[in-house]
Amino acid sequence: MIFHKHKLFSYTIVIALSAVTFACGGTQEKTVSESEPEQMKDRIELIQDETAKRVDVLIDGKLFTSYIYPDSLEKPVLYPINTANGNAITRGWPITPRPGERVDHPHHLGLWFNYGDVNGLDFWNNSSDIKDKTKYGHIAHKSIKSMKSGNEEGVLEVSMDWMNNKGEVLLTENTSFIFRGKDDRRSIDRIAILTAPNGEVKLTDNKEGMLGLRTARQLEHPSDKPEIFTDASGKATDVPTMNNEGITGMYLSSEGVEGHDVWGTRGDWVSLTGKINNENISVAILDFPSNPGYPTYWHARGYGLFAANPLGQKSLSDGKDELNFKLEKGESATFKYRVIVYSNESIFDGQVNQDYIEWAK
């Protein structure tokens, strides 16, 4: 519960003024409503629209992001995600396509959290394009447990079910989103607790996972050749060469690895730097030391997929590492990540590393 100190201050003034007026023989009365300043809104405001199945997150009156959970999606996501100056760092397609965008991988939307092999089911690649759902799983929004606005942060707590195509629950997810924003910086903490309520759940090493962000076209690497990417089931997706005008993205990892070479490496964090509408932008994803599979492998592609995958070690290490993570019945695991959106500030002075040290505490 947020306690507004200015109310107490205002009441004290009213009482004090009343006493002075009475002592001076004055007859005019002051009411609380006349003396009290207007109720100030919280800087970080969460607003639910149950009909649209969304919760909007406003910072200083401007949309930062929305938690959306319509039935048409195979998982809830944060979409869009905007900088402090209102530029979207997320791709618009397939919900609100923009000119010049890629139209590959329809399951890449906003910021999401799922995995490519959960008891043999593919949660990662599922989308409305998949007609036969037999080998796919989906994540259903269950409830909003709490929602709190504030001046320093806004907090949204939700529950979800990871289910097979028969509606049987494999995993329950209880997630807290913590939204912060000040000056030209915005951040999201995503803290997910996965529990296996009905039996053992195996999350076998798989390339497709786990915390994913699909970026706006401007934050992609300039594309110098067409490529074909194949998912774990063998389905191939063409990613063609496109016009590179205004395409400025560049990855950098905590280990000093840059560009395309970030893919398949481990690190505490990775940043993606570029420019949108003359705004210098850096987006960083930070791992957490207690996470399973720490330090995470990075499933980061130049065409706009920016993902941390702590569980796909065999696939991402070319067989050097192997995890095959699993949860026994009733067992839980916690995954904590921070996403920071920097605007108009350089991160090459070690800013992300400083922020990571603070986060990792």
Side-chain angles (χ1 to χ4, degrees):
M1 181 174 68
I2 301 172
F3 186 81
H4 295 284
K5 291 184 179 178
H6 72 270
K7 282 190 176 181
L8 179 59
F9 181 70
S10 178
Y11 289 135
T12 305
I13 290 176
V14 173
I15 294 169
L17 286 175
S18 298
V20 170
T21 304
F22 180 78
C24 294
T27 57
Q28 185 178 0
E29 292 184 0
K30 279 184 176 287
T31 66
V32 170
S33 60
E34 290 172 333
S35 319
E36 186 179 14
E38 239 181 76
Q39 175 75 29
M40 292 180 64
K41 283 187 178 180
D42 294 309
R43 284 191 56 251
I44 304 173
E45 192 177 7
L46 275 62
I47 303 170
Q48 183 181 11
D49 184 336
E50 292 187 44
T51 303
K53 297 189 175 182
R54 65 188 295 132
V55 177
D56 292 334
V57 180
L58 307 181
I59 298 183
D60 296 326
K62 296 192 295 186
L63 181 68
F64 172 34
T65 189
S66 298
Y67 171 78
I68 63 172
Y69 50 100
D71 295 336
S72 57
L73 297 183
E74 298 294 350
K75 74 266 186 182
V77 301
L78 293 183
Y79 174 87
I81 299 174
N82 296 325
T83 69
N85 296 307
N87 285 310
I89 67 161
T90 44
R91 178 176 70 168
W93 191 83
I95 292 183
T96 52
R98 307 182 197 114
E101 283 190 323
R102 297 188 189 276
V103 292
D104 57 77
H105 299 88
H107 50 282
H108 291 175
L109 177 66
L111 180 74
W112 70 94
F113 180 77
N114 61 10
Y115 195 59
D117 189 338
V118 182
N119 279 4
L121 297 178
D122 184 353
F123 282 75
W124 179 270
N125 288 290
N126 201 359
S127 74
S128 59
D129 273 18
I130 303 294
K131 304 309 176 187
D132 182 358
K133 304 288 188 178
T134 307
K135 296 180 179 179
Y136 293 84
H138 71 281
I139 302 174
H141 169 85
K142 192 174 177 182
S143 68
I144 293 176
K145 298 167 66 178
S146 70
M147 192 171 65
K148 183 175 72 173
S149 301
N151 285 322
E152 298 299 322
E153 63 185 32
V155 181
L156 175 66
E157 296 183 348
V158 298
S159 65
M160 313 175 207
D161 285 334
W162 294 42
M163 300 188 291
N164 61 21
N165 69 321
K166 298 176 183 177
E168 298 167 338
V169 176
L170 304 181
L171 292 168
T172 59
E173 177 183 339
N174 289 289
T175 285
S176 297
F177 295 98
I178 304 173
F179 305 100
R180 298 184 183 91
K182 189 176 182 182
D183 300 326
D184 279 349
R185 183 181 298 197
R186 301 286 181 263
S187 69
I188 302 162
D189 293 352
R190 195 190 199 287
I191 304 167
I193 302 173
L194 296 182
T195 304
N198 300 315
E200 180 186 74
V201 176
K202 296 179 179 179
L203 292 95
T204 306
D205 286 35
N206 189 283
K207 176 171 62 71
E208 314 287 19
M210 188 170 191
L211 179 78
L213 173 69
R214 184 62 192 258
T215 70
R217 171 76 177 129
Q218 296 93 324
L219 296 180
E220 295 177 17
H221 285 183
S223 83
D224 50 11
K225 63 181 185 300
E227 296 184 79
I228 298 175
F229 295 97
T230 305
D231 66 24
S233 65
K235 183 179 179 181
T237 301
D238 292 322
V239 179
T241 302
M242 298 178 69
N243 183 346
N244 288 322
E245 184 178 353
I247 311 307
T248 57
M250 178 59 64
Y251 287 117
L252 173 67
S253 85
S254 59
E255 309 308 298
V257 183
E258 292 186 315
H260 295 283
D261 292 337
V262 164
W263 190 90
T265 64
R266 303 181 92 153
D268 292 334
W269 55 262
V270 164
S271 66
L272 176 62
T273 301
K275 183 178 286 191
I276 301 178
N277 297 332
N278 292 319
E279 180 183 13
N280 293 314
I281 297 166
S282 294
V283 184
I285 299 178
L286 282 54
D287 197 9
F288 195 76
S290 65
N291 283 344
Y294 170 86
T296 187
Y297 275 91
W298 294 96
H299 185 25
R301 299 290 198 185
Y303 66 80
L305 171 62
F306 185 6
N309 185 353
L311 305 187
Q313 297 187 10
K314 186 174 182 180
S315 300
L316 294 166
S317 70
D318 198 21
K320 293 192 296 285
D321 295 325
E322 189 168 358
L323 181 62
N324 291 325
F325 187 75
K326 66 180 180 179
L327 293 172
E328 303 293 344
K329 181 178 179 179
E331 191 177 6
S332 298
T334 301
F335 297 82
K336 300 174 66 172
Y337 299 96
R338 174 168 288 177
V339 179
I340 306 177
V341 182
Y342 305 85
S343 301
N344 297 319
E345 60 177 296
S346 172
I347 64 164
F348 295 105
D349 59 356
Q351 183 61 57
V352 178
N353 206 55
Q354 293 175 27
D355 290 336
Y356 176 78
I357 292 169
E358 183 64 29
W359 161 244
K361 290 179 181 178

